[in-house]
Amino acid sequence: MAHSLSFLSALKLASMTVVQTFWIFCENSSLHGLRYIGRSRTLRANVLLRFAWSVIAVVSVGFTLMLANSAWDQFRSNPTLTTIETTSYPVSLIAFPSVTLCNINKIHSMKAEELTIKLVELGIDVNDTTDILYTLPRLNDYQPIEQRLLSLEDLLLSKGYTAERLAFDVAPPCETMIVHCFWLMQPVQCGQMFRRTKIFAGYCCSFNADVFLEPIFSRSANHSVPSESIHVTGIGKGEGLSVMLDVGENYYMASNRFSYGIEVFVHRSFDFPDFSDYTTIVERGKETDVSVLPTIVSASPSLRSVPLAIRGCAFDDEGNRSTSVPYTYSNCMNECEQRYIASVCKCIPLFKQTVELQALLEVSVCGFRDLACLLDLKQRVSFTSEQISEMSNAAFKRTPPINFSAYGVLHVHFRSTNCLKYRREPFVTWQTLVATFGGIFGLCMGGSILSLVELLYHFGITPFMVYNELREKLLKGKAHPSPTITAIAHVPYPGHQPMGYFRRREVVARAINNGDALWGMTKRSNIDTLRWKQHHVDELKIMP
């Protein structure tokens, strides 16, 4: 039973400590309104008034939490803000875009005949060769093929011909597709301006494209990417790229459209093109004009302080893990798609493959046997992805009169001398968020950082002081038992003032009423008199 009483006494002592600490905090806190909840002399008897202030304080705390939660949600849901920095950014400061030309025909009939002759010499039947060539477009749309063609693929592999090599050998060559080229109204050699590239639409010809778009078969070992981009100062026709194209209807063998023509993709030189970059089709006997109006979006360096997962965009040193491919959104989405396909099918699709990424993932290029896996992924998963060498100044021979009706003409140039430039920056920075919280805390409760320090002090240090003092009183009462107390006993305090005794507005009045002009300056007599037992002094109920 003694142990139970000891436990109950300790429990009562702890509860008294909590209550006493709370009253001390209310009476000494700098937060607005809390002192009116305390047990001051003027408000102690007015329970209704103290209850009203308690309700006001609770409402203020709730309002503070509500506003703070709203500010935090706004910070999490709207991490960035995009504004118009200028409406007259000069296009002369913007690099000229890359232009990729892809013939709708994916198999050049003359190239196909040359390849057929080579394969026949290796012992492969003509009909089998024709069947495998017509199956090459399946490497782009992933449609299933006959089982017989899979065995034929193994035979071709034994002869040194992969599906990638076959598609490259029969693709329309740039030399026959691009007839004449003009840069800033000056004729130039097309071979110096265009290079063979491979994008999702097949093997194409690109102007001002980075080397990573080139297939492995045509990539030059000593090729170096220019350090500076191409810029133009004028706008309109003649102030950019102009090319004369031969659609080559007579050589069509496998087309992905119900028409003849050359698809045009305009994109940044370091981007892997996707469907969003499709611009137009150049047809025979027609002149096609492509006017480009760029849009620039710059990011504030302070945006780095916002976590990548929250801001939803990345800087160029935070994106792709393959460092040889420049980071852009298009390249990032393409790499993400290829990584996923490689993890499932253990290969990379032919027309979305980059040599650098393939070497990094250490997988092969997808062949006919991988079409089933690719088709399954295409049906189950939806992917949203969307420098010219120094031109020779050598004399260009004047060409005889040209029959323009036999060709298609393409002009690519800037539309305006100015364009929009946007700036993306943090909508709410951490500094702004802290200031917002501070403003809410100060508006609703009159608090500050020092108020938080007070809170830590009163509920971190004061309870131990109160607990020790009450424990000493309890132990002293047990050592010298007194008659049973049935009412609240006034504790005679020692010569120093008790904790929580000093209140800014009452200490002076207390001293004057008691005849003490200054504490310690006059002789204090009869310390245990009733002046130390006033009702406004904190009272303690000592339990036996």
Side-chain angles (χ1 to χ4, degrees), residues 375-496:
L375 180 60
D376 180 62
L377 279 181
K378 182 179 179 180
Q379 294 173 345
R380 292 190 297 107
V381 184
S382 175
F383 292 102
T384 304
S385 80
E386 272 304 304
Q387 303 279 359
I388 183 174
S389 301
E390 226 178 89
M391 296 182 184
S392 174
N393 292 326
F396 187 85
K397 295 183 179 179
R398 190 175 187 86
T399 58
I402 301 174
N403 181 13
F404 287 96
S405 62
Y407 303 101
V409 180
L410 172 68
H411 303 281
V412 181
H413 54 84
F414 284 125
R415 182 186 305 176
S416 173
T417 56
N418 299 317
C419 66
L420 288 176
K421 182 180 181 182
Y422 295 90
R423 181 174 179 83
R424 183 174 296 159
E425 53 192 358
F427 183 70
V428 179
T429 62
W430 286 106
Q431 296 85 346
T432 306
L433 187 64
V434 171
T436 302
F437 286 158
I440 294 173
F441 190 37
L443 174 65
C444 299
M445 303 192 67
S448 63
I449 294 180
L450 294 180
S451 300
L452 299 179
V453 175
E454 283 182 355
L455 188 67
L456 294 175
Y457 172 77
H458 283 297
F459 287 97
I461 299 178
T462 302
F464 296 100
M465 301 171 62
V466 173
Y467 179 83
N468 291 332
E469 185 173 348
L470 294 178
R471 187 170 178 272
E472 290 178 2
K473 299 290 184 183
L474 181 60
L475 294 177
K476 187 180 296 184
K478 286 187 177 182
H480 305 284
S482 58
T484 303
I485 301 176
T486 60
I488 298 177
H490 299 282
V491 179
Y493 289 97
H496 62 83

Side-chain angles (χ1 to χ4, degrees), residues 8 25 68 95 111 130 167 194 225 267 292 319 325 336 348 353 399 424 464 470 482-483 491 507:
L8 290 176
F25 172 71
K111 291 287 186 180
T130 303
F194 286 86
V225 180
H267 55 94
V292 180
V325 178
C336 179
I348 290 184
Q353 167 235 10
T399 58
R424 183 174 296 159
F464 296 100
L470 294 178
S482 58
V491 179
V507 65

Side-chain angles (χ1 to χ4, degrees), residues 109-130:
S109 59
M110 292 293 294
K111 291 287 186 180
E113 292 177 5
E114 296 175 3
L115 180 61
T116 301
I117 295 175
K118 294 180 182 180
L119 294 180
V120 169
E121 294 176 354
L122 295 176
I124 300 177
D125 187 74
V126 176
N127 294 330
D128 292 339
T129 301
T130 303

Side-chain angles (χ1 to χ4, degrees), residues 355-374:
V355 178
E356 292 78 6
L357 183 59
Q358 180 187 359
L360 182 66
L361 299 179
E362 298 180 351
V363 293
S364 61
V365 178
C366 296
F368 293 117
R369 292 188 177 275
D370 303 304
L371 292 180
C373 180
L374 295 175

Side-chain angles (χ1 to χ4, degrees), residues 143-268:
Q143 295 301 315
I145 61 175
E146 299 178 7
Q147 186 66 30
R148 178 180 65 88
L149 296 176
L150 299 180
S151 302
L152 185 58
E153 182 186 19
D154 295 335
L155 179 60
L156 289 171
L157 288 175
S158 64
K159 303 296 182 179
Y161 279 91
T162 63
E164 181 181 9
R165 181 74 196 195
L166 291 175
F168 178 80
D169 287 346
V170 299
C174 297
E175 293 80 6
T176 59
M177 186 170 64
I178 305 174
V179 181
H180 297 290
C181 301
F182 300 88
W183 176 252
L184 300 180
M185 297 184 294
Q186 298 297 321
V188 292
Q189 296 290 344
C190 296
Q192 296 180 349
M193 299 183 64
F194 286 86
R195 64 168 64 105
R196 178 64 66 91
T197 56
K198 183 175 63 175
I199 65 173
F200 74 96
Y203 286 99
C204 307
C205 306
S206 295
F207 162 78
N208 192 30
D210 274 6
V211 67
F212 77 90
L213 291 177
E214 292 189 47
I216 189 64
F217 304 112
S218 61
R219 184 175 298 187
S220 176
N222 58 0
H223 177 77
S224 60
V225 180
S227 56
E228 295 184 0
S229 302
I230 301 174
H231 296 265
V232 297
T233 57
I235 61 173
K237 292 181 181 180
E239 294 297 329
L241 174 68
S242 296
V243 291
M244 187 176 298
L245 304 174
D246 184 4
V247 178
E249 298 96 327
N250 298 330
Y251 302 105
Y252 268 51
M253 185 174 176
S255 173
N256 60 353
R257 289 178 180 267
F258 297 102
S259 61
Y260 301 107
I262 297 176
E263 297 174 310
V264 180
F265 299 87
V266 179
H267 55 94
R268 291 181 296 182

